[in-house]
Amino acid sequence: MAHSHSHSGPAPLSPLAARIVVVALAVIGLAVVVGGVLLWPTGSKVDIPLPFQNGAGGAVTTEGGHVLSSSLADCGSPSSGQVLTAPPAPGVPGSGTCVQSVVAIDSGPNRGATTMLEFSPGPGQPNLLAGDTIRISRQVDQQGSTSYAFYDYERTWPLIAMAAVFAIVIVVVARWRGLRALIGIVVAFLVLVVFLLPALRDGAPAVPVALVASAAILYAVIYLAHGVSLRTSAALLGTLTAMLLAGYCLGAQSNSLISPDCQKTRTTRSPRTWAMCRSKACCWPGSSSAPWVCSTT
């Protein structure tokens, strides 16, 4: 009687294919390291985006606070946003009805004092209730007077609790593989925060930075989640190859939009400082007073 045998799973890599995979990954890994060194952010100071500036152009400072009470009163109280040393002053009669929330300041130089925040009732306005924990922005004007404003709800501990529950569930379900996957997530977050975002802020070319950061994340995440094996290495090489082709196509498309004169301007600048080029202009980071210097040649 004849017997048939079926083998499940992919065929193992031949010795030649295995060597090609290992050598290719080693070359790409070396290129990632070199690219990371060349594109590493300088840590130089840059202008703070307008939504995150205070009145003096510096960074917004936030403090903790909790709501003591909320009530309806006339709008336009001069005590709004001020550090209170007495009950809040009344608003302007006939100016409409606003929500006035008395907030205890829990951190910063005025810790232990109170302030009053005033809101017009309606969509998009915070609905503060007694006991709510919030963040308030603190600004000091040129005369040294401090004022406060609502910034956001305090979400630190709820987010930490959600992250902890997520991590516990992953480890319970997937055990050691789940733990390794969580470590991969942490590595990916560190690459984004320490390298990719600061490098883009410095004006480094976006496509090379994205390729280096993505490749570094892939090396860490795939090997941590699936272990070191030829099968995993082959999958990683395929993913990296597809990513490199996509980056090449994107870079070629961007270069096709650059005029020859602009290309000349680009070659006289280091690829790190060159930031943006279009068919009629080249732009690169300038000084703080003139954030962008552009050539219209």
Side-chain angles (χ1 to χ4, degrees), residues 30-129:
L30 179 61
V32 170
V33 173
V34 173
V37 172
L38 294 177
L39 297 171
W40 192 262
T42 60
S44 59
K45 293 184 178 180
V46 297
D47 292 335
I48 300 171
L50 286 176
F52 305 102
Q53 287 185 10
N54 58 24
V60 172
T61 302
T62 65
E63 308 291 354
H66 64 276
V67 181
L68 298 177
S69 65
S70 288
S71 60
L72 296 176
D74 291 328
C75 298
S77 170
S79 300
S80 177
Q82 305 302 309
V83 178
L84 298 179
T85 56
V92 179
S95 60
T97 302
C98 286
V99 179
Q100 294 182 349
S101 300
V102 178
V103 177
I105 304 170
D106 296 333
S107 63
N110 295 306
R111 180 178 182 180
T114 57
T115 185
M116 190 269 288
L117 306 179
E118 188 176 87
F119 309 97
S120 300
Q125 295 295 327
N127 182 24
L128 301 182
L129 302 176

Side-chain angles (χ1 to χ4, degrees), residues 21-248:
V21 169
V22 172
V23 171
L25 287 178
V27 171
I28 295 175
L30 179 61
V32 170
V33 173
V34 173
V37 172
L38 294 177
L39 297 171
W40 192 262
T42 60
S44 59
K45 293 184 178 180
V46 297
D47 292 335
I48 300 171
L50 286 176
F52 305 102
Q53 287 185 10
N54 58 24
V60 172
T61 302
T62 65
E63 308 291 354
H66 64 276
V67 181
L68 298 177
S69 65
S70 288
S71 60
L72 296 176
D74 291 328
C75 298
S77 170
S79 300
S80 177
Q82 305 302 309
V83 178
L84 298 179
T85 56
V92 179
S95 60
T97 302
C98 286
V99 179
Q100 294 182 349
S101 300
V102 178
V103 177
I105 304 170
D106 296 333
S107 63
N110 295 306
R111 180 178 182 180
T114 57
T115 185
M116 190 269 288
L117 306 179
E118 188 176 87
F119 309 97
S120 300
Q125 295 295 327
N127 182 24
L128 301 182
L129 302 176
D132 286 349
T133 304
I134 62 174
R135 300 295 299 180
I136 50 178
S137 62
R138 174 173 58 86
Q139 296 196 39
V140 180
D141 61 20
Q142 296 180 349
Q143 288 72 37
S145 178
T146 303
S147 62
Y148 291 89
F150 175 79
Y151 188 78
D152 202 353
Y153 290 94
E154 179 62 76
R155 296 185 173 92
T156 302
W157 289 111
L159 289 176
I160 291 176
M162 290 177 60
V165 171
F166 172 78
I168 291 172
V169 171
I170 292 297
V171 172
V172 169
V173 173
R175 300 187 182 278
W176 285 111
R177 176 173 288 188
L179 179 60
R180 294 197 303 266
L182 289 176
I183 296 174
I185 292 175
V186 173
V187 172
F189 180 80
L190 290 176
V191 171
L192 294 176
V193 173
V194 176
F195 172 70
L196 187 139
L197 295 178
L200 293 178
R201 178 202 62 189
D202 279 358
V207 173
V209 168
L211 288 175
V212 170
S214 301
I217 291 172
L218 282 173
Y219 272 96
V221 170
I222 290 183
Y223 279 131
L224 282 170
H226 301 284
V228 179
S229 67
L230 284 176
R231 184 180 300 178
T232 303
S233 299
L236 174 59
L237 180 60
T239 305
L240 289 171
T241 302
M243 186 181 69
L244 290 173
L245 288 175
Y248 174 79

